[in-house]
Amino acid sequence: MMDQAERLRTIAKEQNPQPVNGARIITVTSGKGGVGKSNVAINLALQFRKIGKSVIILDADFGLANIEVMFGVIPKYNLSDLIFKGKELKDIITAGPDNVGFISGGSGIAKMVNLNNDQIKSMVYKLNELGKYADIIIVDTGAGISNSVLEFVSASPEVLLVTTEEPTSITDSYALLKALTMFPGYVKDETKIRVIANKVSSIDAGKNLFDKLSAVVGRFLKIDLELVGIIPYDDNISKAVMKQKPISLSAPDSTAAKSFENIAKVLDEGTTAVFNDKVGIARFFARILFRRKK
């Protein structure tokens, strides 16, 4: 008899042989909370919009609703409505500022552990259509090294690791990468990991932060990291959070906003995503469901 894991893999393979329309998937993650990960996801999305890309953020920090709070937009529907209430994918994509779309995980996501075969098939099929709605899909994971975080990171061809100068942030970033190397499904050559040094005291401090992390990761984990951007500490960010208006819109000429702009340009001009068997957004959920059902 086919077990649950095999059922999920079969469903994912049948429903999602490859990403629809080749949408580029970028996963933003961090080893600990409070480092500005969701801020990075939101502001990069807005900067991608400025250069003409259509973007959808998938809030994969299930139950916390960070994206909607920071956007100041309350979604009518979330991911659980796609699964349990018969909504279509287009119904659960909420328009944020500058027409950045986002999908809220919603607190109801906990019920995913009880999905039956028909519900799994329906969800995987619908999520496979996500590439029709955007050039770039930004996945904002939870923080830390939970299985669901590692599923998203290991499934993504492009990962942005957000870290700060705090010793705990550096330590937790290393812990996340160490856990990733031991996680089933992770293939080093198929996952490009880039670092964003956030809320640093200076550009030099950001470079030193990356050099320390890169050296220890390269030596002990054999992972080659790339520094994609440095975002100096900027009071305008906390003000933007309080106003629920991202800094790229509330203070577009600020140091932080310009840093986000530079990162988006580097990612847009210098990178072509490599699409392979594990890229599809629907496969992310098939794998997460498998982990939750074990």
Side-chain angles (χ1 to χ4, degrees):
M1 180 177 293
M2 186 181 296
D3 64 14
Q4 289 177 331
E6 189 176 352
R7 283 171 45 224
L8 288 165
R9 293 190 192 102
T10 301
I11 291 169
K13 183 177 180 180
E14 290 174 350
Q15 299 294 338
N16 184 34
Q18 56 183 296
V20 173
N21 290 358
R24 181 176 178 180
I25 299 172
I26 301 174
T27 295
V28 182
T29 194
S30 64
K32 68 184 294 289
V35 301
K37 171 181 56 61
S38 294
N39 239 321
V40 168
I42 284 173
N43 283 284
L44 284 182
L46 289 165
Q47 295 297 341
F48 278 129
R49 285 291 298 130
K50 287 184 178 181
I51 56 179
K53 304 294 183 182
S54 56
V55 186
I56 292 175
I57 302 174
L58 174 60
D59 189 348
D61 195 353
F62 301 135
L64 295 184
N66 288 335
I67 302 300
E68 60 198 70
V69 170
M70 296 177 75
F71 268 157
V73 177
I74 300 175
K76 188 174 181 179
Y77 303 112
N78 58 44
L79 189 59
S80 63
D81 294 305
L82 180 79
I83 304 167
F84 301 109
K85 298 184 179 178
K87 296 300 178 182
E88 297 299 321
L89 187 61
K90 59 182 176 60
D91 298 324
I92 69 166
I93 300 174
T94 302
D98 204 17
N99 210 32
V100 170
F102 72 93
I103 295 175
S104 171
S107 57
I109 204 69
K111 292 188 289 185
M112 284 175 65
V113 295
N114 298 316
L115 294 185
N116 59 39
N117 256 19
D118 289 339
Q119 288 171 322
I120 293 170
K121 287 180 180 179
S122 175
M123 184 191 68
V124 172
Y125 177 79
K126 290 177 180 179
L127 286 170
N128 191 39
E129 301 296 305
L130 194 57
K132 290 183 176 180
Y133 297 94
D135 300 316
I136 299 172
I137 299 164
I138 295 178
V139 180
D140 181 28
T141 76
I145 57 174
S146 67
N147 275 346
S148 61
V149 170
L150 293 171
E151 280 290 2
F152 280 107
V153 174
S154 66
S156 181
E158 297 184 70
V159 176
L160 299 180
L161 175 62
V162 182
T163 189
T164 70
E165 291 179 89
E166 294 180 16
T168 53
S169 178
I170 299 172
T171 301
D172 289 341
S173 293
Y174 177 82
L176 171 64
L177 295 177
K178 182 177 180 179
L180 180 63
T181 62
M182 298 183 288
F183 193 74
Y186 168 69
V187 180
K188 183 174 70 171
D189 293 338
E190 295 179 357
T191 303
K192 182 66 177 178
I193 301 174
R194 298 178 175 88
V195 174
I196 293 179
N198 194 28
K199 299 192 289 188
V200 296
S201 55
S202 66
I203 297 298
D204 284 342
K207 290 178 180 177
N208 289 335
L209 162 61
F210 171 76
D211 288 342
K212 290 178 183 177
L213 181 61
S214 180
V216 69
V217 168
R219 179 179 178 183
F220 295 107
L221 304 181
K222 310 303 180 184
I223 295 176
D224 294 323
L225 300 179
E226 176 185 323
L227 180 63
V228 73
I230 297 172
I231 305 169
Y233 178 83
D234 190 333
D235 283 331
N236 288 298
I237 289 184
S238 57
K239 294 176 182 177
V241 171
M242 293 299 294
K243 293 178 181 177
Q244 292 182 293
K245 186 175 182 180
I247 193 170
S248 292
L249 298 178
S250 62
D253 294 324
S254 64
T255 301
K258 290 298 183 183
S259 298
F260 286 122
E261 181 180 3
N262 289 337
I263 294 170
K265 286 181 178 178
V266 168
L267 290 172
D268 180 58
E269 296 171 1
T271 303
T272 301
V274 176
F275 301 113
N276 52 51
D277 228 16
K278 67 170 188 171
V279 174
I281 206 81
R283 287 184 186 273
F284 287 166
F285 283 90
R287 290 182 176 188
I288 290 171
L289 284 165
F290 164 55
R291 296 292 173 192
R292 289 168 181 255
K293 283 178 175 287
K294 287 185 67 175

